[in-house]
Amino acid sequence: MMRCLREVGIDNNTVGWYQSAYLGAYQTVELVETFISYEESIKQCVCVIYDPFQEEQGVLPVKAIRLSESFKKVYKENDFTPSQLLESKVNWDQIFEEIPVQVHNSSLCSVAMECADSKGTSSTRQSDLQHLNLSTNPYLEKNLRFLVECMDELANEQQKVGYYQRSLARQEQSISSWKQKRKQENAIRRAAGEELLPEEDLTNPIFKPIPEPTRLDTMLIANQIRNYCDKVDTFKAKSLQKLFLAKAIHGSD
């Protein structure tokens, strides 16, 4: 297809790729890895996210994003420990940068849409009848359900950090006990005129450092939670307005 576009003189420079995301669920490690892979050949590559469910709500379902420069530096170092994140000053909301998107219709498309709109003025449209529906917006319900799932995932990540901290405390306690025992042994050997043993034995398994869990998943989940909260904040007003209006009408009766 790119060759055919080039033959007819249409701009065919590749600047990224596009993918669909149900309810905007695109904050994944796989997307970050794809960005890094594309960066090897395309600098400042862009990913266009298309949300088919959001299109049904009458909202522009297209969003363009790219990785921030600060996050790419941290990712190349592959160090997502709290100390490194504080040093690089990269927060969870600084992973992606959103690029403004402008969609233009051709003149023929605009005329066709105007003709279709003028034909429906004489009768009631289905979109007008939807304003009388008092049921909760399904889009809002799905976002709340996905938000709860993200909160569970965030709690699991916090449990991993808590387990790491408990394991680190147990290791420090074991090392302290081992060193105390080794000092007692050296005291006995010193009294007997024997050679002292080293204070630390790196071959001992208790001295093996415990790997710290990465915070990349936590940052992506937090970013996804922010995305769901923004959508809930956008669509909750319409649902609440209809419910309060219905309550006022029933109260007046």
Side-chain angles (χ1 to χ4, degrees), residues 181-191 195-199:
K181 183 179 179 181
R182 177 56 60 92
K183 289 181 180 180
Q184 295 176 357
E185 293 178 358
N186 284 335
I188 298 175
R189 296 175 70 91
R190 187 181 297 105
E195 184 179 358
L196 301 181
L197 299 175
E199 293 291 336

Side-chain angles (χ1 to χ4, degrees), residues 189-224:
R189 296 175 70 91
R190 187 181 297 105
E194 299 177 357
E195 184 179 358
L196 301 181
L197 299 175
E199 293 291 336
E200 294 185 359
D201 185 5
L202 299 180
T203 60
N204 196 318
I206 64 174
F207 287 95
K208 184 179 180 180
I210 301 176
E212 187 173 357
T214 178
R215 301 300 174 89
L216 177 59
D217 293 334
T218 304
M219 296 172 65
L220 291 172
I221 294 173
N223 210 347
Q224 188 65 54

Side-chain angles (χ1 to χ4, degrees), residues 32-91:
V32 175
E33 293 175 350
T34 306
F35 264 113
I36 298 301
S37 177
Y38 267 79
E39 283 284 341
E40 297 178 359
S41 56
I42 306 174
K43 299 299 182 182
Q44 300 293 333
C45 62
V46 178
C47 177
V48 177
I49 305 296
Y50 170 75
D51 190 349
F53 196 85
Q54 193 173 7
E55 184 181 12
E56 299 177 2
Q57 309 301 317
V59 181
L60 180 65
V62 177
K63 176 187 293 185
I65 60 173
R66 65 185 177 189
L67 289 180
S68 63
E69 293 294 334
S70 56
F71 178 79
K72 284 189 288 187
K73 293 179 181 179
V74 177
Y75 188 88
K76 291 179 181 179
E77 296 176 358
N78 196 20
D79 186 4
F80 290 96
T81 58
S83 58
Q84 179 62 27
L85 293 176
L86 289 175
E87 181 180 352
S88 58
K89 298 181 180 180
V90 176
N91 298 325

